[in-house]
Amino acid sequence: MADPGLSFTLVDPESFDSIPAPALPGDRCQTCDYWERLDGQREASESEGAADLKLSRLMAGARLAGAYGMLAWRNDPAGNRVAVGWAQFGPISRYPRAQVIRERYNSLPDSPAPWVVTCLQVVPGTADREGVGAELLAAVCEELDRRGITAVEAYPEGVADPWAVSVGPAAVYRAAGFKHAAGDEHFPAYRRELEDASADVGWGDLLSHTRPPDEGEDWPLSLPKGPSEEDVFRLPPKPNRPNPFGDD
């Protein structure tokens, strides 16, 4: 049953600092580049440049369709809105580590290329933590369905504390309608096919994200740099990369 106290918003520059800390001590979502680079780090960095780079990555698709992150909010006892959950997602071409992991699962379909959820975190101690995570995933899938994305994947890990892994617990994905599509219980791949709600939305709604507030004779502008058709519908090439799970 949906929690009426929860609300969901795409991340933006104003809410970026509200992204809650992940479960693993010492990590910081605002500077993490673990999925964006094969040699990326989860550990916190006080570098202003690292935070600026992370924000620019999350907002890379904002002017075309929407940002690559979503927050879950709930009011605290004092009535203040507090972020209790965070999900990061995007075209698989934006996340090299996800590409390498996916290459291990030959049974997954090559086309169309999926989008991936790389991070799913709910603040420890949150009431019905798994339920909040499932509702956040459902909201992410609804948003991606609206954008015309046909499938979403995630690659959780079977570890003692599944929240300590950035992707979050496999159980939460199952609760949100994802199916175990490949791999074993230790390194599974979960996939959810979407329903193409974008057919009822149309390009006008999607492109409204690009409309400047002071539109005039210069509108429409040329499309900004960002996600392309290739990003959304094609898998990137498969270069030789290190094994993200370690040597076999």
Side-chain angles (χ1 to χ4, degrees):
M1 183 175 179
D3 183 342
L6 283 174
S7 60
F8 307 96
T9 63
L10 292 172
V11 69
D12 59 23
E14 287 69 38
S15 61
F16 177 69
D17 287 339
S18 296
I19 297 174
L24 199 62
D27 291 2
R28 183 170 182 248
C29 295
Q30 286 89 343
T31 57
C32 172
D33 61 358
Y34 179 77
W35 290 92
E36 291 87 348
R37 297 170 54 91
L38 290 178
D39 61 350
Q41 302 294 322
R42 296 174 178 169
E43 290 77 13
S45 170
E46 298 304 321
S47 168
E48 184 175 338
D52 289 344
L53 178 58
K54 182 67 173 189
L55 177 59
S56 70
R57 286 169 170 164
L58 291 172
M59 302 305 298
R63 293 196 62 195
L64 181 59
Y68 295 146
M70 181 177 286
L71 288 154
W73 304 85
R74 179 182 272 167
N75 287 345
D76 66 13
N80 299 310
R81 193 175 74 152
V82 177
V84 295
W86 165 246
Q88 176 179 283
F89 49 85
I92 194 169
S93 58
R94 298 196 66 86
Y95 301 111
R97 190 177 296 272
Q99 295 174 37
V100 176
I101 292 174
R102 194 179 196 274
E103 287 167 10
R104 298 173 64 92
Y105 305 115
N106 295 327
S107 61
L108 292 174
D110 283 341
S111 180
W115 278 36
V116 292
V117 177
T118 62
C119 304
L120 177 69
Q121 292 290 303
V122 176
V123 174
T126 298
D128 190 15
R129 191 180 187 187
E130 289 197 357
V132 171
E135 288 198 49
L136 175 54
L137 276 178
V140 167
C141 289
E142 181 179 353
E143 169 64 21
L144 297 187
D145 198 7
R146 184 193 68 80
R147 298 186 196 183
I149 307 307
T150 58
V152 187
E153 292 180 359
Y155 317 114
E157 298 178 27
V159 295
D161 180 6
W163 285 110
V165 180
S166 62
V167 190
V172 177
Y173 289 88
R174 292 193 295 269
F178 285 70
K179 304 299 183 184
H180 187 175
D184 57 24
E185 62 181 7
H186 298 293
F187 297 108
Y190 277 82
R191 182 178 173 95
R192 175 173 166 178
E193 306 286 339
L194 302 182
E195 300 174 357
D196 196 17
S198 65
D200 299 325
V201 177
W203 279 107
D205 180 77
L206 295 179
L207 293 179
S208 67
H209 289 273
T210 69
R211 188 177 297 274
D214 58 346
E215 70 173 80
E217 295 180 359
D218 293 333
W219 177 261
L221 302 175
S222 58
L223 286 177
K225 295 180 180 180
S228 66
E229 182 177 349
E230 182 173 350
D231 287 329
V232 176
F233 297 109
R234 298 179 188 172
L235 284 172
K238 297 182 177 180
N240 292 324
R241 297 192 176 98
N243 183 347
F245 299 113
D247 295 332
D248 293 327

